[in-house]
């Protein structure tokens, strides 16, 4: 009998297929003692396994490219963390086997993260995946991961580590469903980049029996278990209608009455450029530069290396905007040369612009490299700072840009509620705002963006978050400046209409979402978007806001 479950839809599309579960996690190694004379050998085994896993993660990142590469390189750094390895060595020295020492050292690190206010709790899936890969290599058993299958299937897992998500084969994995995770988790972001329908935060996902036929609607978050032929037909018809709308929608982003809303791409490096161009991106709204800095956590990349990478991206978008975010290090992206190692809560400490202002040489080199990369190119370069809290932050960044001789617009990301509340003040120092809705939601609701248990608070439809977006957009309009959205909220077509109605002047998203947003915006007038935005803000919950906006736009 057909039953319906509901999670959080994070990647558009419909997938219909049989359930296949993720490979089981590595079993806990036995706690047996080794003689003292074997300690050195076991320590060597542990280091060899760690290095092999790190190399494998980097190789997977090189194959995947783009955002996935940055995520996997961060995992490789996690595997080789000096403090973790020192803990492994200590445990082996007092009699643990290599595999048991790795298992226990990672367990201790897990507890440490939880004790730091759980900001990094959302990285537990990444941490567990690294541990499992190292232990599996030491035990000589198959790596945990995506099941082998000759037939297409829907992948179901407790959570998906980036190393697995990044290299999913869309011809075999029709879609995926996870019990944990949130709309802005690594797996959700990578699913959108791959164009694979996905639903996360589905309670009881692990209880779906192997081989069960399910239908996954990545737009609504609905899962239909044992769907009827009629339901399959309805879903397939709806999917075909969406594809037809996508195929017929081309050109710049605009509402039905011609109000222009430039649709830009979020990219994680040169590898993402081709997909952005193919999707018809009108430029780049968020160029994440961390990929350059994660290669070597101990040293910043040279100016020459940065110039080469930036120029590759700038050349791909002639006569277009390219908005570059300077290095956003700290929290889940620690760098030995930049971020403190002993912060009790990195999310609320020295990260983003704060790190760069503490290390002006790193900021100066990056800004100088951007200036040189843009020389002679017909591109509209804009540079923005992450984690701006107030006018003083904005001024410090703008001063640094001018001192580096950067001929570009300077902007501030609105990721902290104070920046939204005091947006007009911030705009006295910079020329544009860009709303990072992922972090803005996280800080507004004290809800880690990676933790499935608080996913309702990470929902970008939350009226309080929409209020902060509206405040920022109204301030920018009053100052005659622009205010875009570059967080994952922009990738939701219906929400894109609401954001437009709130006064946002551009939308930036993963390339795969651009056609969906373009087609949906073209169906409604600016006035309809404004009415939908007002209805959403008048609601008391994210679900009510979504339904209210949908009702307005559907003419109910």
């Amino acid at each position: 009998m057909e039953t319906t479950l509901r999670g959080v839809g994070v990647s558009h599309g419909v997938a219909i297929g049989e359930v296949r579960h993720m490979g089981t996690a590595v079993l806990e190694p036995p706690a047996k003692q080794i003689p003292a004379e074997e300690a050195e050998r076991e320590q060597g085994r542990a280091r060899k396994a760690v290095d092999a896993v790190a190399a494998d993660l980097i190789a997977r990142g090189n194959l995947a490219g783009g955002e996935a590469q940055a995520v996997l390189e961060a995992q490789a750094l996690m595997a080789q963390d000096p403090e973790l390895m020192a803990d492994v060595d200590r445990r082996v020295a007092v009699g643990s086997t290599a595999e048991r020492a790795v298992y226990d050292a990672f367990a201790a690190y897990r507890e440490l993260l939880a004790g730091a206010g759980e900001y990094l709790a959302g990285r537990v899936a990444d941490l567990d995946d690294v541990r499992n890969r190292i232990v599996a290599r030491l035990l000589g058993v198959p790596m945990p991961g995506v099941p082998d299958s000759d037939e297409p299937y829907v992948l179901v897992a407790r959570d998906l580590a980036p190393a697995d998500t990044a290299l999913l084969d869309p011809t075999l994995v029709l879609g995926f469903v996870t019990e944990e995770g949130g709309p802005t988790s690594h797996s959700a972001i990578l699913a959108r980049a791959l164009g694979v329908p996905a639903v996360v935060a589905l309670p009881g996902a692990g209880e779906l029996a192997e081989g069960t036929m399910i239908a996954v609607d990545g737009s609504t978050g609905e899962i239909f278990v044992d769907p009827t032929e009629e339901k399959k037909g309805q879903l397939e018809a709806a999917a075909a209608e969406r594809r037809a709308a996508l195929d017929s929608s081309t050109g710049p982003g605009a509402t039905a009455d011609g109000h222009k809303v430039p649709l830009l791409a979020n990219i994680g490096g040169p590898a993402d450029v081709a997909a952005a161009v193919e999707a018809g991106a009108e430029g780049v709204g968020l160029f994440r530069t961390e990929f350059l800095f994660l290669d070597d956590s101990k040293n910043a990349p040279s100016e020459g290396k940065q110039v080469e990478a930036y120029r590759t991206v700038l050349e791909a978008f002639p006569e277009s905007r390219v908005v570059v975010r300077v290095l956003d290090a700290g929290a889940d992206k620690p760098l030995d040369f930049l971020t403190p190692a002993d912060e009790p809560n990195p999310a609320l400490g020295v990260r983003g612009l704060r790190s760069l202002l503490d290390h002006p040489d790193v900021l100066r080199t990056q800004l100088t490299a951007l200036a040189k990369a843009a020389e002679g190119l017909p591109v509209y370069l804009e540079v923005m700072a992450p984690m701006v809290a107030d006018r003083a932050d904005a001024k410090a960044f703008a001063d640094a840009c001018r001192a580096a001789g950067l001929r570009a617009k300077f902007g501030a990301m609105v990721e902290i509620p104070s920046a939204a509340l005091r947006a007009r003040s911030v705009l006295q120092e910079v020329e544009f705002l860009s709303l990072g809705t992922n972090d803005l939601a996280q800080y507004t609701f004290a809800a880690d963006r990676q933790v499935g248990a608080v996913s309702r608070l990470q929902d970008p439809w939350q009226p309080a978050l929409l209020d902060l977006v509206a405040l920022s957009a109204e301030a920018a309009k009053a100052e005659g400046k622009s205010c875009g959205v570059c967080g994952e909220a922009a990738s939701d077509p219906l929400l894109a209409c609401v954001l437009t109605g709130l006064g946002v002047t551009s939308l930036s998203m993963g390339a795969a979402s651009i056609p969906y947003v373009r087609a949906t915006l073209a169906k409604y007038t600016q006035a309809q978007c404004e009415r939908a935005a007002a209805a959403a803000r008048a609601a008391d919950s994210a679900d009510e806001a979504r339904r209210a906006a949908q009702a307005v736009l559907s003419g109910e």
Side-chain angles (χ1 to χ4, degrees):
M1 186 177 75
E2 178 182 306
T3 57
T4 304
L5 306 174
R6 183 179 289 276
V8 178
V10 296
S11 184
H12 304 296
V14 170
I16 302 174
E18 292 186 355
V19 167
R20 293 286 181 273
H21 283 275
M22 197 72 170
T24 55
V26 176
L27 295 176
E28 181 178 346
K32 63 181 183 181
Q33 290 292 107
I34 60 168
E37 59 269 20
E38 292 183 15
E40 188 174 346
R41 180 178 67 86
E42 288 296 289
Q43 289 169 340
R45 285 183 64 227
R47 281 191 291 274
K48 186 175 180 180
V50 165
D51 290 343
V53 166
D56 178 63
L57 290 168
I58 289 171
R60 286 168 175 256
N62 289 336
L63 284 173
E67 295 185 35
Q69 184 171 7
V71 171
L72 294 178
E73 286 175 349
Q75 268 197 296
L77 290 174
M78 183 186 291
Q80 295 177 304
D81 182 273
E83 291 187 16
L84 263 175
M85 285 310 302
D87 192 17
V88 170
D89 284 343
R90 283 192 296 271
R91 293 173 187 275
V92 172
V94 295
S96 286
T97 62
E99 47 267 37
R100 185 69 207 193
V102 167
Y103 188 90
D104 289 342
F106 273 78
Y109 191 37
R110 239 174 174 263
E111 291 182 13
L112 180 66
L113 296 185
E118 293 196 15
Y119 172 76
L120 297 180
R123 295 295 182 264
V124 164
D126 299 20
L127 186 68
D128 287 349
D129 181 58
V130 171
R131 177 203 66 198
N132 290 346
R133 290 174 186 279
I134 297 170
V135 172
R137 186 171 288 276
L138 287 165
L139 291 174
V141 300
M143 290 284 177
V146 178
D148 290 329
S149 175
D150 295 328
E151 297 296 325
Y153 59 90
V154 177
L155 181 62
V156 176
R158 182 179 64 81
D159 203 348
L160 280 172
D164 297 312
T165 315
L167 295 181
L168 289 179
D169 181 352
T171 63
L172 283 177
V173 181
L174 301 173
F176 69 74
V177 178
T178 67
E179 190 160 345
E180 298 184 359
T184 59
S185 66
H186 280 154
S187 292
I189 292 171
L190 295 177
R192 285 189 283 272
L194 288 166
V196 177
V199 172
V200 301
L202 178 71
E207 297 172 13
L208 292 168
E210 187 85 4
T212 301
M213 179 64 68
I214 64 172
V216 179
D217 190 329
S219 299
T220 65
E222 292 174 304
I223 306 292
F224 302 94
V225 183
D226 293 321
T228 63
E229 291 303 315
E230 181 183 6
K231 175 59 71 176
K232 289 181 187 176
Q234 290 173 350
L235 290 170
E236 288 169 347
E241 185 179 337
R242 287 177 193 151
R243 285 194 296 271
L246 297 182
D247 292 341
S248 64
S249 177
T250 58
T255 59
D257 55 340
H259 175 76
K260 293 183 178 180
V261 187
L263 304 181
L264 312 172
N266 292 345
I267 66 172
D272 290 342
V273 167
V277 172
E278 185 178 351
E282 297 170 60
V284 173
L286 173 61
F287 178 9
R288 302 180 179 95
T289 57
E290 288 73 42
F291 74 100
L292 278 167
F293 294 81
L294 292 172
D295 285 344
D296 181 355
S297 69
K298 298 186 183 303
N299 301 287
S302 67
E303 181 184 294
K305 181 178 180 181
Q306 292 189 57
V307 170
E308 182 181 358
Y310 302 149
R311 196 169 180 89
T312 299
V313 173
L314 296 176
E315 287 175 336
F317 294 95
E319 306 297 336
S320 301
R321 290 174 64 199
V322 175
V323 184
V324 180
R325 181 181 70 189
V326 294
L327 175 63
D328 184 14
D332 60 321
K333 291 171 285 194
L335 294 170
D336 293 347
F337 65 87
L338 196 68
T339 51
D342 56 352
E343 282 193 298
N345 190 342
L348 302 180
V350 183
R351 65 165 292 196
L353 178 62
R354 298 169 187 175
S355 294
L356 293 174
L357 294 178
D358 279 353
H359 297 80
D361 54 325
V362 176
L363 177 58
R364 183 168 53 251
T365 298
Q366 183 169 28
L367 294 174
T368 302
L370 284 166
K372 291 182 177 179
E375 284 179 3
L377 294 181
V379 67
Y380 301 106
L381 176 63
E382 301 183 12
V383 183
M384 62 185 182
M387 303 302 293
V388 170
D390 56 16
R391 181 173 179 174
D393 278 352
K395 183 179 188 304
F397 178 65
D399 287 346
C401 289
R402 282 187 283 268
L406 190 61
R407 299 178 65 183
K409 285 188 176 181
F410 317 141
M413 290 196 72
V414 177
E415 301 165 285
I416 302 174
S418 62
L421 293 168
R422 300 287 294 171
R424 288 198 73 169
S425 174
V426 170
L427 283 165
Q428 302 310 303
E429 305 294 343
V430 294
E431 298 171 83
F432 68 94
L433 299 177
S434 184
L435 287 142
T437 51
N438 307 353
D439 268 323
L440 186 58
Q442 174 169 253
Y443 287 118
T444 299
F445 297 103
D448 191 294
R449 55 190 278 195
Q450 303 292 325
V451 178
V454 291
S455 61
R456 79 172 182 86
L457 296 172
Q458 302 152 2
D459 193 326
W461 281 93
Q462 285 284 356
L465 185 66
L466 299 181
D467 287 344
L468 292 175
V469 172
L471 279 174
S472 303
E474 289 163 4
K477 183 178 181 180
E479 295 294 329
K481 296 178 178 179
S482 63
C483 177
V485 169
C486 64
E488 291 301 310
S491 65
D492 178 335
L494 182 61
L495 186 50
C497 295
V498 168
L499 295 172
T500 298
L502 292 174
V504 165
T505 55
S506 66
L507 299 166
S508 189
M509 65 209 76
S513 298
I514 291 175
Y516 291 93
V517 172
R518 182 192 293 119
T520 304
L521 267 180
K523 292 164 60 176
Y524 306 108
T525 65
Q526 175 67 8
Q528 286 176 298
C529 291
E530 289 171 357
R531 288 197 294 273
R537 288 185 69 188
D540 290 320
S541 72
D543 287 341
E544 288 178 15
R546 188 182 287 106
R547 287 195 296 269
Q550 182 66 70
V552 169
L553 294 177
S554 61
E556 295 177 9

